[in-house]
Amino acid sequence: MRLVQKFGGTSVADLARIRAAARCVLRERAAGNETAVVVSAMAGSTDRLVAWTREMGPLHDVREHDVVVSAGEQITVGLMALALHELGARARSWLGWQIPIRTDGAHGRARIRAVDAAPLEGCLRNGEIPVVAGFQGLGPEGRVTTLGRGGSDTSAVALAAVLKADRCDIFTDVDGIYTTDPRLVAKARRLERITFEEMLEMASQGSRVLETRSVEMALNHGIRLQVRSSFEDRPGTLVVEEDGDEDRDVEQDIVTGIAYSRNDAKVTVVGVPDRPGVAAAIFGPLAAQSINVDLIVQNVAADDLRTDLTFTVAQADLDRALANIEALRAEIGFARLMGDPDVVKISVIGVGMRSHAGVAQTMFTALAAKGINIQVISTSEIKVSVLVAEEYTELALRALHTAYGLDDVADETAAAGG
Amino acid sequence: MRLVQKFGGTSVADLARIRAAARCVLRERAAGNETAVVVSAMAGSTDRLVAWTREMGPLHDVREHDVVVSAGEQITVGLMALALHELGARARSWLGWQIPIRTDGAHGRARIRAVDAAPLEGCLRNGEIPVVAGFQGLGPEGRVTTLGRGGSDTSAVALAAVLKADRCDIFTDVDGIYTTDPRLVAKARRLERITFEEMLEMASQGSRVLETRSVEMALNHGIRLQVRSSFEDRPGTLVVEEDGDEDRDVEQDIVTGIAYSRNDAKVTVVGVPDRPGVAAAIFGPLAAQSINVDLIVQNVAADDLRTDLTFTVAQADLDRALANIEALRAEIGFARLMGDPDVVKISVIGVGMRSHAGVAQTMFTALAAKGINIQVISTSEIKVSVLVAEEYTELALRALHTAYGLDDVADETAAAGG
């Protein structure tokens, strides 16, 4: 079997952990598998480098940011290769420009365009373990690019695709995907498997274990992903295609997981004239400023003349969003504008929803029973999201986890965590 | 005028200093000069990275060491470019592989083979300041190489050569070359100029301001070097060709500077049979082990049959040297072997010695007057070196500094330092 093994920042946070990760690699080799390794920067390193570029100037040249920030992965590929050598294996490091991993020119959030498999195939043929710097690539003008936060996952999946790997293992500081955040809900349960679509929703709704783009790419190329811990030698969570796994429980849960995001803020525009084109007049300028709008609801107008419009933006964009809309007050003629950063978006996710009714109703009932007011509701085919006051985060998660029958009642995780 | 400006680790040790260095660059631009910048890694960064590679394994692969260690300069080029942007200048970073700076394959101590001037000339033509990562290059197999300690000076001189720069300014934490180490001798005086040959001897005899290889390269390409401080805006010391400067004092000092090195150790082989080939029998095996031997003296044999051989090696090589010679005891038949790490080599240097007699005699007299015993003496055309017990370092330096009339008697340096 051929594997790509990707180690995140916490798995290579210091020399001892790099050595432990190297032992994970050699366990696969000992089991007869061929493996290519992708590493992130040591935990904290990227944050420090990013902070330096920001401190140098708020409007910094992203191309230089990429030069600075990509140094983190350069350090870990070398150290990982050395760790593998010390354990008796042959290995060599590969930087993005050396393979090369070609990307577009969108510095800071570049997309991978092509990866030359030949040098890595050659490396594997020679019995060497290629150790590839994640997160970085070579732009069209020969400059260093980075793929954006979590980009090392994408690097790993891209390599798995060109190397036709049988599986891509994402090693991190958690041992898999949980039904919800186990730090907040002691009864959270590790999933043995999850579908790509569910994983995508989990990621986009706030679960930070896997980066959305890497899941999309894995789905597109049919790469089996496994999320597992580099600290324990046991299987993690497999991310698989929906139909491909006949041994999946027949009586599967309707809801697979519950994600939450505290990074949203709520904007309410009160007393908007209820006429065609008014939504476009508000959201157009926000889009032009690259402010992404997520949940949107428009209340029924009380007097058929005016309505209230509520939506969410990223917390970091709240002030800019409010300033933008305020500038449109004369043009639109709304009565009042309110911003609230103290909200949390909670989403229940599961492909089982497609064939089951009443999923949303269970959510509303469970939250009402705890006295939690729902501010905004949004549904999609495999997801129901609600916006509630941030102070209810833990209470809401626990209530929903129980209501959907996800609680882990008798295993070691519950014992350890609860 | 076209300049290359090189900033050492202490000159880019933190963001504030990088900004200060950027202001040095822009002062030259404001004066109408064209400038290319070379930077080292932030002070301490290279040491930390080197320590990591060593900790990973004592016999580490130098190619991976180079990948890890070169990350330091990668960080500073990006930050320096950003600092220049913030001050309103156009600038872009260049990594060794991007130019490229081609080197041989001797990882860890590579030699520059060729530098493509075209990309940097293009940069300058566009009114951009090229900011080049020192210390690193691209090896023949497309891998990252490093030039060894102090290699950024060599990078700067190589760039000055291919860019046909009028001067190469080496910015460091001292404001020039001194007659001797001002930390040990308060009356040390900053030199306005020094010849390449003197600078080479100073560097090879222990002065750590400039790396020997960079001085050799500057001499070979006729590049005027200036050593100056990035913390003060005033001229430093010019390193120039001997004849080229007619304004040099007619009554110049016979001795220009006094260097010292505490990194040597003394080896004495007592009772060596005084026959042809015995020196080769000792030094051959040391050379084969890459142990460099410096000062060598052979005492006159007391009985015409046996002699004592004394020489110096680097302190770090002492144990290996002793073990090597001990292994030859039966073959050579010496009586006793002694090693002494507590020695200092003191060298007085000056091109004026060529036309003046009695330079060595002044040295012997001055040291004798302080009761300092000379263990080994070695002379060359522009240098006299002696080995004395390490505890006399400061005393010997001060006595010689006075004896050769180098003392600074009445300027601000003396007032501040003494």
Side-chain angles (χ1 to χ4, degrees):
Chain A
M1 199 157 70
R2 182 178 275 190
L3 300 180
V4 169
Q5 297 179 287
K6 181 260 172 177
F7 295 90
T10 51
S11 302
V12 292
D14 55 39
L15 300 191
R17 288 196 180 174
I18 292 173
R19 279 190 209 102
R23 283 191 293 269
C24 286
V25 174
L26 295 187
R27 268 200 297 274
E28 293 295 355
R29 296 265 289 189
N33 294 321
E34 215 176 23
T35 173
V37 175
V38 176
V39 290
S40 297
M42 294 161 94
S45 144
T46 304
D47 289 338
R48 191 176 61 246
L49 296 172
V50 167
W52 281 347
T53 65
R54 293 218 172 118
E55 205 184 316
M56 259 318 172
L59 299 170
H60 58 254
D61 183 336
V62 197
R63 293 169 300 186
E64 301 300 350
H65 163 277
D66 281 358
V67 169
V68 173
V69 172
S70 61
E73 281 73 17
Q74 178 161 339
I75 292 169
T76 37
V77 280
L79 293 176
M80 176 63 88
L82 292 173
L84 288 165
H85 295 169
E86 272 302 292
L87 295 171
R90 296 178 58 212
R92 83 153 269 195
S93 65
W94 292 91
L95 300 170
W97 59 269
Q98 288 177 317
I99 299 176
I101 295 176
R102 293 193 188 278
T103 71
D104 62 18
H107 284 270
R109 52 186 172 79
R111 286 184 166 264
I112 295 176
R113 289 283 178 244
V115 180
D116 188 356
L120 304 178
E121 289 283 4
C123 207
L124 288 166
R125 250 195 324 275
N126 290 337
E128 274 186 336
I129 302 168
V131 182
V132 178
F135 182 61
Q136 59 179 240
L138 182 66
E141 290 170 2
R143 300 193 66 169
V144 176
T145 54
T146 68
L147 310 180
R149 274 285 155 157
S152 290
D153 289 347
T154 309
S155 306
V157 174
L159 283 180
V162 299
L163 293 175
K164 299 184 175 50
D166 299 285
R167 202 177 68 219
C168 179
D169 280 357
I170 307 286
F171 288 85
T172 177
D173 53 351
V174 295
D175 60 354
I177 309 291
Y178 276 71
T179 47
T180 193
D181 188 340
R183 290 168 302 182
L184 302 193
V185 181
K187 290 175 180 168
R189 199 156 42 81
R190 184 162 56 88
L191 296 163
E192 269 180 46
R193 54 187 67 214
I194 186 170
T195 69
F196 281 114
E197 284 173 291
E198 288 165 339
M199 190 65 241
L200 275 174
E201 287 286 5
M202 291 285 274
S204 66
Q205 299 306 318
S207 164
R208 268 158 307 193
V209 177
L210 276 180
E211 200 242 342
T212 315
R213 247 203 290 170
S214 65
V215 182
E216 280 171 2
M217 194 186 277
L219 173 60
N220 291 339
H221 291 88
I223 309 287
R224 285 161 66 96
L225 284 178
Q226 182 179 212
V227 175
R228 56 190 298 189
S229 165
S230 57
F231 308 134
E232 301 167 70
D233 180 23
R234 60 171 186 174
T237 301
L238 270 179
V239 187
V240 295
E241 294 192 49
E242 197 171 342
D243 307 328
D245 293 276
E246 52 295 318
D247 57 343
R248 185 161 176 145
D249 295 346
V250 181
E251 292 288 327
Q252 66 164 99
D253 295 321
I254 296 163
V255 164
T256 301
I258 308 176
Y260 68 98
S261 164
R262 284 164 158 154
N263 296 325
D264 293 338
K266 184 179 71 166
V267 176
T268 309
V269 195
V270 180
V272 183
D274 191 13
R275 61 166 189 259
V278 81
I282 290 175
F283 295 127
L286 293 182
Q289 295 285 315
S290 297
I291 297 172
N292 283 322
V293 171
D294 184 23
L295 309 181
I296 303 177
V297 289
Q298 189 172 338
N299 296 353
V300 175
D303 55 2
D304 284 344
L305 291 173
R306 293 193 165 260
T307 180
D308 298 341
L309 193 65
T310 301
F311 56 89
T312 60
V313 296
Q315 243 172 54
D317 291 334
L318 177 59
D319 291 344
R320 274 200 310 144
L322 292 175
N324 260 275
I325 300 166
E326 191 56 54
L328 300 166
R329 185 187 281 266
E331 186 189 326
I332 298 168
F334 56 81
R336 205 146 52 90
L337 179 63
M338 295 180 299
D340 180 5
D342 299 324
V343 291
V344 60
K345 182 175 65 176
I346 296 180
S347 308
V348 300
I349 292 154
V351 292
M353 283 185 203
R354 291 195 184 118
S355 47
H356 285 81
V359 175
Q361 189 54 38
T362 303
M363 189 169 196
F364 307 153
T365 310
L367 294 177
K370 298 291 179 189
I372 301 171
N373 185 42
I374 298 174
Q375 303 180 10
V376 181
I377 300 167
S378 162
T379 63
S380 75
E381 199 189 15
I382 64 164
K383 178 196 79 185
V384 182
S385 298
V386 295
L387 202 69
V388 303
E390 190 179 2
E391 59 190 329
Y392 293 113
T393 307
E394 291 84 355
L395 183 64
L397 286 175
R398 287 176 199 142
L400 294 172
H401 203 262
T402 304
Y404 287 109
L406 297 174
D407 287 356
D408 187 0
V409 282
D411 85 357
E412 52 180 0
T413 313
Chain B
M1 199 156 72
R2 182 178 274 189
L3 300 180
V4 169
Q5 297 178 288
K6 181 260 170 179
F7 295 91
T10 51
S11 302
V12 293
D14 55 37
L15 300 191
R17 289 197 178 172
I18 293 174
R19 279 192 207 99
R23 284 190 293 270
C24 285
V25 174
L26 295 186
R27 270 200 297 275
E28 294 295 353
R29 296 265 289 188
N33 295 321
E34 215 175 24
T35 172
V37 176
V38 176
V39 290
S40 297
M42 295 162 93
S45 144
T46 304
D47 289 338
R48 191 176 60 247
L49 296 173
V50 167
W52 281 347
T53 65
R54 293 216 174 119
E55 206 183 315
M56 260 318 173
L59 298 170
H60 57 254
D61 183 338
V62 198
R63 294 168 301 186
E64 301 300 350
H65 162 277
D66 282 357
V67 168
V68 173
V69 173
S70 62
E73 281 72 17
Q74 178 162 339
I75 293 169
T76 36
V77 282
L79 293 176
M80 175 64 87
L82 292 173
L84 288 165
H85 296 168
E86 271 304 291
L87 294 170
R90 298 178 57 214
R92 84 153 268 196
S93 65
W94 291 90
L95 300 170
W97 59 269
Q98 288 176 318
I99 297 177
I101 295 177
R102 292 194 189 278
T103 71
D104 61 18
H107 284 271
R109 51 186 172 83
R111 289 186 164 261
I112 296 176
R113 289 281 177 247
V115 180
D116 188 357
L120 304 178
E121 289 283 2
C123 207
L124 288 166
R125 251 196 322 277
N126 290 338
E128 273 185 339
I129 301 169
V131 181
V132 177
F135 182 62
Q136 59 178 241
L138 182 66
E141 290 171 4
R143 301 193 66 169
V144 177
T145 54
T146 67
L147 310 181
R149 274 287 155 155
S152 289
D153 289 346
T154 308
S155 306
V157 173
L159 283 180
V162 300
L163 293 175
K164 300 183 174 53
D166 299 285
R167 202 177 68 221
C168 179
D169 282 356
I170 307 287
F171 288 85
T172 177
D173 53 353
V174 294
D175 60 354
I177 309 291
Y178 276 71
T179 47
T180 194
D181 188 339
R183 290 167 302 182
L184 301 194
V185 179
K187 290 175 179 168
R189 198 155 44 80
R190 184 163 55 89
L191 296 163
E192 271 181 45
R193 55 186 66 213
I194 186 170
T195 68
F196 280 114
E197 283 174 292
E198 289 166 339
M199 190 65 240
L200 275 174
E201 287 286 6
M202 292 284 274
S204 66
Q205 298 307 318
S207 164
R208 269 157 308 192
V209 176
L210 275 180
E211 200 243 341
T212 314
R213 247 205 288 170
S214 66
V215 182
E216 279 171 3
M217 192 186 278
L219 173 61
N220 291 338
H221 290 88
I223 308 287
R224 285 161 67 97
L225 284 178
Q226 183 178 211
V227 176
R228 57 191 298 190
S229 165
S230 57
F231 308 134
E232 301 168 70
D233 180 21
R234 59 171 186 173
T237 300
L238 269 179
V239 188
V240 295
E241 293 194 47
E242 197 172 342
D243 308 327
D245 294 274
E246 53 293 319
D247 58 344
R248 183 160 177 146
D249 295 347
V250 180
E251 290 289 328
Q252 65 165 97
D253 294 321
I254 297 164
V255 164
T256 303
I258 307 176
Y260 68 98
S261 163
R262 285 165 157 154
N263 296 326
D264 294 338
K266 184 177 72 166
V267 176
T268 309
V269 195
V270 181
V272 182
D274 191 14
R275 61 165 188 258
V278 81
I282 290 174
F283 296 127
L286 293 181
Q289 296 284 316
S290 297
I291 297 172
N292 283 321
V293 171
D294 185 21
L295 308 181
I296 303 177
V297 289
Q298 187 170 339
N299 295 353
V300 175
D303 55 2
D304 283 345
L305 292 172
R306 292 191 167 261
T307 179
D308 298 342
L309 192 65
T310 302
F311 56 88
T312 60
V313 296
Q315 243 173 54
D317 291 335
L318 178 60
D319 291 344
R320 275 201 309 143
L322 291 175
N324 259 277
I325 299 166
E326 192 55 53
L328 300 167
R329 185 188 280 265
E331 186 189 327
I332 298 168
F334 56 82
R336 206 146 51 90
L337 178 63
M338 295 181 296
D340 180 5
D342 298 325
V343 292
V344 61
K345 182 176 64 176
I346 296 181
S347 308
V348 299
I349 293 155
V351 292
M353 283 185 203
R354 289 192 185 120
S355 48
H356 284 81
V359 174
Q361 190 53 40
T362 302
M363 189 168 195
F364 306 153
T365 310
L367 295 177
K370 298 292 179 188
I372 302 171
N373 185 42
I374 298 174
Q375 303 180 9
V376 179
I377 301 168
S378 161
T379 62
S380 75
E381 200 189 13
I382 65 164
K383 178 194 79 182
V384 183
S385 297
V386 295
L387 201 69
V388 303
E390 191 179 2
E391 59 190 330
Y392 293 113
T393 308
E394 292 83 356
L395 182 64
L397 286 175
R398 286 175 200 143
L400 294 172
H401 203 262
T402 304
Y404 286 109
L406 296 174
D407 286 356
D408 187 0
V409 282
D411 85 357
E412 53 180 0
T413 313

